[in-house]
């Protein structure tokens, strides 16, 4: 990471970054599909949201999910940060960063070597110490979901990775 230090994250008035429960599934589903409808990420069904619920972190205000993101294990050394979404009127408060940093911590605790993401927001991830990657260098298994993406095979998402072993990730 270069340039100025990251701004402090103020999660006061929220739950902080916590693991999702079944009560969050509809809120996660709404948030992800709000951004999916704008072409910013892949849509998710409510069923998929429940099936992958244990991957998710959320930030709640009261009962409401205002930010979410998931860490999904791909293989022994790799996991994906996905379904990262912050409510439109809660952007730029550090919620996205707090969730990605929780994924870094979880990835390390799980013994993962690195994380990847496919995104239209590469600068957000770069700000958090990630680096651009050639998607073709990622294992073929990461293409698992691509086949059902409306954009397939014309993917224009940008791949980024972070090495969790080099101590750079916060
Ligand atoms: C991308 C997204 C998750 C960022 O969440 P956020 O809570 O608004 O971002 P944060 O406040 O945590 O920002 C963290 C840092 O990234 C920077 N940043 C945030 N969005 C950025 C962007 N689009 N471009 C460049 N930098 C960005 C912030 O300035 C901040 O830097 P700082 O720490 O130096 O102040 C959010 O904008 C979002 O939900 N977007 C729509 C869905 C989406 O694109 N998801 C990503 C799919 S993987």
């Amino acid at each position: 990471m270069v340039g100025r230090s990251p701004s402090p994250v103020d999660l006061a008035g929220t739950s902080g970054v916590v693991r999702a429960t079944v009560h969050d599934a509809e809120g996660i589903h709404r948030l992800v599909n709000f951004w999916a409808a704008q072409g910013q990420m892949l849509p998710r069904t409510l069923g998929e949201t429940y099936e992958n619920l244990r991957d998710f972190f959320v930030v709640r205000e009261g009962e409401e999910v205002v930010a979410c993101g998931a860490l999904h294990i791909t293989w022994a050394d790799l996991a994906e940060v996905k379904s990262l979404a912050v409510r439109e009127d809660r952007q730029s408060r550090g919620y996205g960063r707090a969730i990605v940093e929780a994924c870094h911590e979880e990835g390390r605790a799980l013994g993962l070597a690195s994380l990847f993401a496919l995104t239209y927001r590469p600068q957000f991830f770069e700000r958090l110490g990630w680096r651009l990657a050639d998607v073709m260098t990622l294992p073929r298994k990461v293409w698992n979901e691509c086949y059902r993406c409306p954009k397939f095979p014309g993917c224009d998402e940008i791949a980024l990775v972070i090495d969790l072993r080099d101590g750079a990730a916060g």
Side-chain angles (χ1 to χ4, degrees):
M1 209 154 46
V2 290
R4 65 192 171 85
S5 304
S7 321
V9 177
D10 183 6
L11 294 172
T14 76
S15 60
V17 177
V18 293
R19 292 194 171 281
T21 74
V22 286
H23 305 296
D24 300 314
E26 290 192 6
I28 292 171
H29 179 244
R30 249 193 316 275
L31 199 52
V32 167
N33 287 304
F34 170 84
W35 288 113
Q38 302 186 39
Q40 297 298 307
M41 57 205 302
L42 267 185
R44 303 278 165 203
T45 65
L46 188 55
E48 286 168 325
T49 307
Y50 279 115
E51 284 169 19
N52 294 290
L53 197 63
R54 285 194 285 188
D55 286 347
F56 273 93
F57 292 105
V58 293
V59 175
R60 294 186 209 106
E61 286 178 10
E63 303 285 301
E64 192 182 347
V65 175
V66 292
C68 65
L71 183 70
H72 188 75
I73 298 175
T74 311
W75 207 246
D77 54 353
L78 188 68
E80 179 177 8
V81 171
K82 61 201 292 188
S83 297
L84 178 67
V86 177
R87 209 174 81 179
E88 197 171 22
D89 59 354
R90 295 294 191 275
Q91 309 262 310
S92 304
R93 297 180 179 202
Y95 294 0
R97 175 152 67 92
I99 286 182
V100 173
E101 286 176 352
C103 293
H104 293 172
E105 201 177 312
E106 166 99 330
R108 269 196 219 93
L110 286 164
L112 291 160
S114 54
L115 308 183
F116 78 97
L118 297 168
T119 185
Y120 297 112
R121 298 278 175 271
Q123 287 152 338
F124 164 78
F125 283 93
E126 285 180 304
R127 191 80 193 101
L128 305 183
W130 293 55
R131 63 181 169 77
L132 295 171
D134 179 352
V135 73
M136 300 312 284
T137 65
L138 295 172
R140 213 176 293 169
K141 197 164 186 305
V142 311
W143 297 97
N144 204 17
E145 289 189 326
C146 298
Y147 303 110
R148 62 188 178 80
C149 175
K151 294 188 177 174
F152 183 80
C155 177
D156 52 358
E157 287 193 312
I158 296 159
L160 292 103
V161 294
I162 189 162
D163 188 341
L164 297 178
R165 296 163 306 183
D166 63 8

